[in-house]
Amino acid sequence: MTAMRKSGKPWGGRFAQATDPQVEAYTASIQFDRRLYKYDIQGSVAHARMLAKCGLLAKAEADKIVAGLHEIGGEIERGEFRFDPSFEDIHMAIESRLIEKVGEAGAKLHTGRSRNDQVALDVRLYLRDEIRQIRRLVAGLERALIAQAEAHLDLIMPGYTHLQRAQPVLLAHHLMAYVEMLERDRARLNDALARVDVLPLGSGALAGVGLPIDRRFVARELQFRALSANSLDAVSDRDFVIEPLAAFALLMAHLSRLAEEIVLWASAEFGFIELPDALATGSSMMPQKKNPDVAELTRAKTGRVFGALVALLTAVKGLPLSYNRDLQEDKEPLFDSVETVKAALSVMASLVSGLAFCRDRMQQAAREGFLNATDMADYLVRKGMPFRQAHETVGRIVRRCLAKRCRIEELSLKELRAASPLFDRDVFAYVALEGCIERRKATGGTATGTVKKAITAARTRLGRR
Ligand code: ARG
């Protein structure tokens, strides 16, 4: 490898000077892209087999390469591999080690390949694995929510708008709202996965490969659904990273809303839940404290994932075709987001499973604040009053109750009739909270039977385990 010597680089042939150590440090990605090693090896094995199949490598050479690559994988796993920053990135580090191990044959591995199509391949393989795993973790959190919903099918709580008590709902209905969000998140991950699952290798540096290669063979080896159709696009597109990041961002937004509700509900002011001790934290100063740090951190970590999305969108927006080194900056935000999302999903699933709901507090809260006022208006509508007029009438009744410090169902029939002669004795049953719940049985409503159906549908989507 005489060509490598001056600069010590695989691309050293053209260079008369050694690389400035500052530049070496600035351009190196090996500190973080080393985590792609498994995929780099997997991709190189498939590439070597293809080269042999196409007569670009002798069978014996390919065998040496494949064996060498597997050995290198072992060295990395055992922590024996030296990740020297002068190697720039994981691709060159592995290739250099291969040449060290198997000599001439190793120097043939990069035939018909560029780091540009190689890195796109590695990240796609990585994302394919991670998205599948994240999808499973989302399903795990959904199952935790569904289990709590099923365990509390009879528990009525206040539903809110503007964080003001609005109408009664089942806790199960509230929890299932998150299941719906998470189902869409899973669907988005699936959609993204279909576009990640495309083989870029065989695009060369930018223009395609001039040697007689077989891309289909590589796609089959690595189980890719399709081949990229344009080499310039394949080496420079990063929407296959951005799209999952966008899905992660939305997923985190959903987790953050759930986290926020857990924080609120655990407060003395709400008192709706008791956090499991194992998933709460204390204060170093105030002995009485029990804090919802897990939920708070989930809420805050959402910002990292949003940040990653914006960083990547910004990195690609001004790039001329095709590959530009800017694209190396995709990795840290992506890796950080993947780790953040996985950790958040699994800890939030534990947290949700461990929540104890304070039935009395929730039910009490549902009884205060005139949550059945809409139903009283509906009652008048059923007796023939136009809704606008019913709204006005009940509004006046509420005002009267506020002055008397009582609930609407505590007024006498006589008092109600003073507001409207349409009121009858059956109004009291009509505005009972259970009635308010059970009448909302149109699809998507909070009636017990409707919520049960939603639970069954969600379980079916998730598949029985
Ligand atoms: N480390 C580089 C990256 O992550 C690999 C591709 C380098 N290609 C190049 N032409 N310098 O994007």
Side-chain angles (χ1 to χ4, degrees):
M1 299 294 101
T2 45
M4 279 173 65
R5 291 292 75 119
K6 259 275 167 359
S7 70
K9 306 289 188 227
W11 39 256
R14 188 213 179 284
F15 289 76
Q17 285 184 342
T19 315
D20 183 328
Q22 214 185 169
V23 171
E24 211 154 68
Y26 196 65
T27 57
S29 54
I30 192 157
Q31 327 80 277
F32 48 85
D33 65 17
R34 49 193 282 182
R35 91 165 55 194
L36 295 172
Y37 81 89
K38 230 176 43 183
Y39 305 107
D40 201 68
I41 289 172
Q42 200 186 344
S44 289
V45 166
H47 182 66
R49 291 203 174 118
M50 181 279 286
L51 291 176
K53 190 219 158 216
C54 295
L56 294 163
L57 271 185
K59 168 89 171 67
E61 288 172 323
D63 290 346
K64 264 186 165 174
I65 289 175
V66 170
L69 286 168
H70 286 138
E71 276 172 41
I72 293 170
E75 290 171 10
I76 296 175
E77 255 144 54
R78 291 190 299 274
E80 292 163 14
F81 193 89
R82 217 170 47 86
F83 288 97
D84 186 337
S86 70
F87 284 135
E88 217 175 285
D89 57 29
I90 187 65
H91 324 293
M92 293 206 288
I94 291 177
E95 189 189 340
S96 303
R97 178 77 183 118
L98 183 71
I99 294 169
E100 214 173 88
K101 282 172 100 61
V102 308
E104 179 96 355
K108 292 185 176 179
L109 172 62
H110 213 49
T111 307
R113 183 176 77 172
S114 152
R115 269 185 300 154
N116 299 350
D117 55 355
Q118 185 179 358
V119 71
L121 169 66
D122 292 5
V123 178
R124 283 175 184 271
L125 287 169
Y126 162 82
L127 261 173
R128 215 167 59 169
D129 270 7
E130 296 293 351
I131 291 174
R132 287 181 182 141
Q133 209 179 319
I134 290 171
R135 226 171 34 176
R136 282 193 291 275
L137 289 167
V138 175
L141 176 56
E142 286 185 62
R143 287 196 179 91
L145 288 159
I146 293 171
Q148 286 284 23
E150 270 183 327
H152 297 90
L153 261 171
D154 60 335
L155 183 45
I156 297 176
M157 63 173 275
Y160 295 83
T161 62
H162 315 265
L163 198 56
Q164 305 289 322
R165 288 179 200 169
Q167 290 176 344
V169 294
L170 292 181
L171 168 63
H173 193 51
H174 192 109
L175 295 174
M176 289 304 293
Y178 286 101
V179 172
E180 293 299 324
M181 296 176 222
L182 294 170
E183 266 302 299
R184 292 194 296 277
D185 290 323
R186 270 200 327 139
R188 267 185 285 273
L189 290 171
N190 265 339
D191 289 350
L193 185 57
R195 278 175 289 276
V196 167
D197 198 11
V198 172
L199 174 78
L201 201 69
S203 301
L206 74 160
V209 173
L211 297 166
I213 57 167
D214 182 348
R215 297 191 66 202
R216 277 183 202 294
F217 177 89
V218 180
R220 271 197 305 277
E221 286 281 298
L222 297 172
Q223 295 176 29
F224 276 103
R225 182 183 65 77
L227 303 183
S228 57
N230 181 299
S231 59
L232 294 165
D233 177 43
V235 297
S236 65
D237 136 57
R238 286 297 177 272
D239 39 296
F240 77 88
V241 178
I242 294 173
E243 193 179 354
L245 278 178
F248 296 161
L250 266 173
L251 169 57
M252 287 302 292
H254 292 154
L255 295 190
S256 186
R257 296 185 78 171
L258 175 60
E260 168 62 10
E261 294 212 289
I262 291 173
V263 171
L264 279 176
W265 291 8
S267 69
E269 283 67 17
F270 271 83
F272 284 3
I273 52 177
E274 179 71 31
L275 299 170
D277 278 2
L279 292 160
T281 44
S283 155
S284 59
M285 187 186 209
M286 299 166 283
Q288 85 285 10
K289 288 297 291 289
K290 179 170 169 185
N291 295 326
D293 296 34
V294 165
E296 293 169 275
L297 284 168
T298 299
R299 195 170 57 184
K301 283 175 190 289
T302 301
R304 296 163 70 136
V305 179
F306 289 6
L309 173 61
V310 173
L312 262 264
L313 284 168
T314 310
V316 299
K317 74 172 257 298
L319 294 186
L321 291 184
S322 62
Y323 179 85
N324 297 272
R325 190 62 176 269
D326 310 51
L327 296 175
Q328 178 170 293
E329 284 289 306
D330 63 351
K331 286 169 206 65
E332 282 167 294
L334 174 62
F335 296 157
D336 184 67
S337 297
V338 163
E339 293 312 314
T340 301
V341 167
K342 288 197 295 188
L345 282 167
S346 79
V347 75
M348 289 298 283
S350 302
L351 187 59
V352 165
S353 299
L355 293 178
F357 291 92
C358 308
R359 302 185 64 92
D360 296 347
R361 287 282 304 200
M362 294 182 112
Q363 267 156 348
Q364 186 60 24
R367 264 182 246 116
E368 281 157 16
F370 312 104
L371 279 73
N372 49 3
T374 312
D375 286 72
M376 184 171 268
D378 286 350
Y379 172 92
L380 292 173
V381 165
R382 286 187 145 192
K383 301 263 165 162
M385 189 184 281
F387 179 74
R388 272 293 146 238
Q389 202 181 321
H391 186 288
E392 169 80 20
T393 304
V394 178
R396 263 191 258 110
I397 292 172
V398 167
R399 188 136 49 92
R400 177 152 175 72
C401 290
L402 284 169
K404 284 188 69 177
R405 295 179 173 281
C406 70
R407 301 181 183 149
I408 52 182
E409 61 273 28
E410 286 167 353
L411 293 176
S412 67
L413 185 57
K414 198 165 142 221
E415 285 169 296
L416 289 174
R417 279 206 173 125
S420 165
L422 292 175
F423 281 117
D424 241 320
R425 193 146 292 289
D426 60 349
V427 68
F428 297 107
Y430 198 90
V431 301
L433 293 190
E434 290 69 22
C436 300
I437 295 284
E438 298 310 336
R439 273 192 297 277
R440 288 176 166 73
K441 55 176 187 270
T443 302
T446 190
T448 312
T450 310
V451 173
K452 274 187 185 160
K453 272 189 211 146
I455 289 174
T456 308
R459 280 218 187 278
T460 308
R461 286 190 306 245
L462 286 168
R464 312 243 163 213
R465 257 196 329 184

